[in-house]
Amino acid sequence: MLLQTGGSGTPEIVALVALGAGLFTVVEYTSLSPSLVEFRDAPPFNRIRFLAAALSVFLLSVLLRDGAEAAPIAALVTTLGAGLGQLLDIPYSPVRLVMLTLPDGAPAALTDQVRASAALSYLLSLGSLVTFAGLLRYRGWPMRSGHFNVWINLPTFDPTAGPDVIWRLRRDGQFNLVLGFLLPFVIPALLSLGAPLLGPLDLSNPHTLIWTMTCWAFLPASLLMRGVALQRVAEMIGAQRERASAREAGLIPA
């Protein structure tokens, strides 16, 4: 709707995919038994991820709009993206690694767009992490929202399989934390290594650029949030076990 570009049938395909995703979300959140969506009963975990990704897609779409239709918000986003791009485009930074995936001799306009898009997406992903960390620190997520049901909020996690539940939650959480930290650096390297075999990624297409930058920034952020959340759940189960052990021993927890 913002870009008004793409091949024939693209708007219809996008509308169909959006309708399917919306229908799945409604069914998932209204059903009594969960299937795939994690932490559906522990708001605002999924809301933060969705709003941050949606805001990234919106801002990048505004950034890449035709200059002839520029509006005040487009000028503001362009100025903000250019400034952030210059600020974050430093050696060994994730933004610099994204810039290295561009082919030699890329136009200056494309280089500026990629730099600004990467900086905006990365800053928004960091903002989502800071927001979630604030909820953990100051609102005691997720217990402030009510009782935490492991079966509803972790439908793909089987507490009866394998070793101790706390050990498995901490292991999965640490794996997500490590993977989320490394992905912003690994994804550009994989794109560069795969370019000779699969061809370079066509970032001159606005749709490709928007979704590539959004996925590059928010997949690692989502994994980091999931890792922190799993660690939090493990701490809650450990604390509940300690209280149960104290009651069995006839002690009153402090």
Side-chain angles (χ1 to χ4, degrees), residues 65-78:
R65 287 189 70 182
D66 188 0
E69 301 177 0
I73 185 175
L76 177 62
V77 173
T78 301

Side-chain angles (χ1 to χ4, degrees), residues 9-104:
T10 298
E12 291 79 7
I13 295 175
V14 171
L16 181 62
V17 173
L19 181 62
L23 180 62
F24 170 78
T25 303
V26 171
V27 172
E28 178 72 17
Y29 273 83
T30 55
S31 62
L32 296 178
S33 56
S35 59
L36 291 176
V37 177
E38 294 183 333
F39 299 104
R40 71 166 195 171
D41 197 35
F45 180 83
N46 290 322
R47 298 174 189 175
I48 293 175
R49 297 195 297 179
F50 173 78
L51 290 176
L55 184 60
S56 174
V57 173
F58 172 74
L59 291 180
L60 296 188
S61 299
V62 172
L63 178 68
L64 300 178
R65 287 189 70 182
D66 188 0
E69 301 177 0
I73 185 175
L76 177 62
V77 173
T78 301
T79 304
L80 179 62
L84 289 174
Q86 296 295 334
L87 182 63
L88 298 179
D89 187 12
I90 58 178
Y92 306 108
S93 70
V95 176
R96 173 63 61 86
L97 294 179
V98 171
M99 300 301 299
L100 294 178
T101 62
L102 292 174
D104 296 334

Side-chain angles (χ1 to χ4, degrees), residues 130-141 144:
V130 172
T131 302
F132 182 62
L135 290 174
L136 286 173
R137 177 66 177 85
Y138 298 106
R139 295 189 58 186
W141 182 91
R144 286 289 181 90

